[in-house]
């Protein structure tokens, strides 16, 4: 079986360094917000060309904290609206709700799976205070157009970068290009930069926001036992930071290998029943996932399974059709629904061998 993602294989090259880092943390005896977290925050800020990085518990909490930070700064009020893509993973929507804000769903582009900037304008009201673009599957949204809309309407931009570590916009590692923005990252084990458990981070160039966030993640406290805000406990774990410090220097090479595989798939998969993802061959995509579409997904997935190729569906049910959001179940988002009915993710691990790639391509092209 060609696994969709073999985490043991991916992490195997780092095991000796992992053990060394673990021993170092044990020897220091400092397990919360220690040197490993500080090092990762510094290095990841540099990697994303951001002034500040705040390590937090996971990607969802990274988003929630950004919104709560803006509320503390008085830039958003509870009950304000946030523009969100309708086809995102549910965490994006949950973050808006957990910050006591109102998500407003907008259809994506069918070709890119990312939010359609042309449809944002019609959803903006006097209550709209932010846009939450989600760089789904590793591909950046059309940020030039989104920032133009945001600046025109004085809106904040909160980027869900949980799947896009290392993607570049206009040759910059970070998509941030003004102070009124922040990005949330997840280091869930399956991400391009994955920890060995839950972990996340926020990057921003906004000094005021960063100051609030460093407190909010730590019970609202900058100085121990002195609580300025009603915060939460969402601190990047010292051990997970240590593991991330081992893996971060290798992220670019692994992203590049993902793009090599993606180019093969795009040039060599030729089956009229398969719609391949759009990519302009720039660095705006790091292929966290390689997502195709087909109208007969169940049969195609079973065919690949019978041919020892493991695939996954990201994601089978859109947020507005989830039981958790019963009040949205009657809403209609035809493009979103089409995407969720047809998408299938192929293996694209950076350790996928050339022979495995060839086998996958041949089996896809042979499907009738």
């Amino acid at each position: 079986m060609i696994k969709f993602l073999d985490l043991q294989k991916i992490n195997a090259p780092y095991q000796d360094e992992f053990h060394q880092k673990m021993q170092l943390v044990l020897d220091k005896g400092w397990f919360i917000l220690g040197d490993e977290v500080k090092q990762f925050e510094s290095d990841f800020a540099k990697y994303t060309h951001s002034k500040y990085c705040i390590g937090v518990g996971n990607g969802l909490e990274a988003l929630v904290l950004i919104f709560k930070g803006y509320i503390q700064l008085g830039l958003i009020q509870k009950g304000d609206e946030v523009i969100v893509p309708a086809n995102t993973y549910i965490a994006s929507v949950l973050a808006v709700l957990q910050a006591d804000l109102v998500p407003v769903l907008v259809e994506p582009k069918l070709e890119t799976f990312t939010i359609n900037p042309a449809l944002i304008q019609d959803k903006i009201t006097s209550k709209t205070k932010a846009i939450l673009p989600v760089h789904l599957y590793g591909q950046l949204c059309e940020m030039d157009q989104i920032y133009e809309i945001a600046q025109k309407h004085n809106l904040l931009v909160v980027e869900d970068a949980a799947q896009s570590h290392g993607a570049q916009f206009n040759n910059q590692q970070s998509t941030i290009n003004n102070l009124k923005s922040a990005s949330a990252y997840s280091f869930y084990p399956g991400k391009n930069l994955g920890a060995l458990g839950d972990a996340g981070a926020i990057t921003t160039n906004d000094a005021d926001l960063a100051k609030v966030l460093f407190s909010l993640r730590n019970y609202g406290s900058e100085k121990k036992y002195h609580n300025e805000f009603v915060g939460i406990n969402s601190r990047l774990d010292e051990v997970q930071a240590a593991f991330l410090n081992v893996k971060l220097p290798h992220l670019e090479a692994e992203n590049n290998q993902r793009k090599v595989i993606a180019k093969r798939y795009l040039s060599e998969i030729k089956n009229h029943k398969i719609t391949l993802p759009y990519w302009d061959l720039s660095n705006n995509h790091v292929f966290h996932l390689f997502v195709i579409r087909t109208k007969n997904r169940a049969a195609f997935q079973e065919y690949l399974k019978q041919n020892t190729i493991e695939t996954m569906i990201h994601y089978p049910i859109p947020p507005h059709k989830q039981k958790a959001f019963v009040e949205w179940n009657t809403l209609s988002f035809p493009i979103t629904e089409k995407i969720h009915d047809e998408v299938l993710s192929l293996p694209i691990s950076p350790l996928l061998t050339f022979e495995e790639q060839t086998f996958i391509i041949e089996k896809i092209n042979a499907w009738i």
Side-chain angles (χ1 to χ4, degrees):
M1 175 67 72
I2 299 176
K3 289 187 176 182
F4 177 75
L5 183 64
D6 191 335
L7 288 178
Q8 287 180 308
K9 189 176 180 182
I10 284 175
N11 286 308
Y14 308 119
Q15 284 197 18
D16 288 345
E17 289 182 88
F18 286 162
H19 285 294
Q20 292 170 14
K21 281 288 191 180
M22 187 70 205
Q23 190 61 53
L24 182 63
V25 172
L26 288 171
D27 290 345
K28 286 186 176 182
W30 193 295
F31 304 115
I32 303 292
L33 299 181
D35 291 339
E36 295 295 336
V37 170
K38 291 176 183 175
Q39 179 186 334
F40 179 75
E41 289 176 336
S42 175
D43 290 348
F44 197 66
K46 291 176 183 176
Y47 178 76
T48 58
H49 294 278
S50 305
K51 291 182 179 179
Y52 307 98
C53 172
I54 302 94
V56 298
N58 54 65
L60 171 59
E61 290 172 356
L63 284 171
V64 174
L65 284 166
I66 292 171
F67 287 121
K68 289 190 173 183
Y70 282 132
I71 289 172
Q72 289 292 344
L73 292 171
L75 298 177
I76 307 179
Q77 295 181 352
K78 293 180 180 181
D80 283 340
E81 296 174 352
V82 179
I83 302 291
V84 186
N87 66 311
T88 186
Y89 179 58
I90 197 170
S92 309
V93 179
L94 291 175
V96 176
L97 292 169
Q98 289 183 18
D100 296 315
L101 301 170
V102 179
V104 176
L105 303 180
V106 172
E107 287 268 55
K109 284 188 172 180
L110 184 60
E111 298 78 15
T112 63
F113 306 118
T114 58
I115 192 168
N116 189 340
L119 301 179
I120 293 176
Q121 185 76 38
D122 290 341
K123 295 289 187 176
I124 295 174
T125 72
S126 60
K127 295 288 288 181
T128 307
K129 292 298 185 291
I131 304 172
L132 175 56
V134 180
H135 306 314
L136 201 63
Y137 306 147
Q139 178 156 265
L140 296 183
C141 300
E142 296 169 78
M143 294 308 299
D144 49 353
Q145 296 182 49
I146 290 173
Y147 271 116
E148 184 178 341
I149 294 168
Q151 289 165 0
K152 178 181 177 181
H153 295 277
N154 195 31
L155 304 178
L156 299 166
V157 177
V158 178
E159 299 183 44
D160 186 337
Q163 301 183 4
S164 62
H165 318 71
Q168 297 181 16
F169 175 70
N170 289 346
N171 297 317
Q172 293 294 319
Q173 284 282 15
S174 170
T175 62
I176 295 171
N177 65 6
N178 66 26
L179 287 177
K180 296 181 69 175
S181 61
S183 296
Y185 290 87
S186 166
F187 305 117
Y188 182 80
K191 295 295 196 292
N192 289 30
L193 178 60
L196 302 189
D198 274 323
I202 300 162
T203 58
T204 185
N205 289 334
D206 187 335
D208 293 332
L209 178 63
K211 186 176 187 298
V212 171
L213 291 174
F214 278 120
S215 293
L216 282 177
R217 70 158 181 197
N218 188 36
Y219 299 103
S221 172
E222 185 175 351
K223 180 181 178 182
K224 194 169 185 178
Y225 303 131
H226 293 257
N227 302 82
E228 186 176 356
F229 308 109
V230 178
I232 63 173
N233 176 6
S234 180
R235 302 173 295 209
L236 175 59
D237 183 80
E238 184 75 359
V239 173
Q240 297 302 334
F243 295 151
L244 290 169
N245 284 329
V246 170
K247 296 180 75 173
L248 179 58
H250 304 276
L251 177 58
E252 278 302 290
E254 293 187 0
N255 279 348
N256 287 336
Q257 182 56 23
R258 288 175 181 271
K259 286 183 270 191
V260 168
I261 298 170
K263 286 179 181 178
R264 272 206 81 190
Y265 282 166
L266 289 169
S267 64
E268 298 182 33
I269 293 176
K270 299 183 185 301
N271 187 318
H272 72 277
K273 291 185 176 182
I274 304 298
T275 301
L276 297 171
Y278 171 80
W279 182 33
D280 63 6
L281 300 181
S282 74
N283 291 320
N284 71 345
H285 205 325
V286 291
F287 285 96
H288 170 59
L289 299 169
F290 189 94
V291 182
I292 61 92
R293 290 191 295 111
T294 182
K295 291 182 179 180
N296 199 355
R297 180 175 65 193
F300 181 54
Q301 187 174 35
E302 180 60 26
Y303 164 81
L304 292 179
K305 181 181 178 181
Q306 293 301 319
N307 283 279
T308 70
I309 300 168
E310 185 178 32
T311 59
M312 294 190 71
I313 300 171
H314 297 89
Y315 302 95
I317 306 172
H320 73 283
K321 293 297 184 182
Q322 295 286 354
K323 187 177 179 180
F325 302 134
V326 64
E327 68 277 15
W328 290 350
N329 288 173
T330 58
L331 297 179
S332 176
F333 293 96
I335 296 175
T336 290
E337 290 157 22
K338 182 178 178 66
I339 287 171
H340 285 262
D341 286 342
E342 296 182 356
V343 291
L344 189 70
S345 301
L346 303 181
I348 195 169
S349 160
L351 296 182
L352 197 67
T353 67
F354 189 87
E355 291 73 22
E356 288 173 330
Q357 297 165 38
T358 300
F359 181 78
I360 291 169
I361 292 166
E362 289 176 348
K363 290 302 177 184
I364 292 176
N365 287 342
W367 186 52
I368 57 175

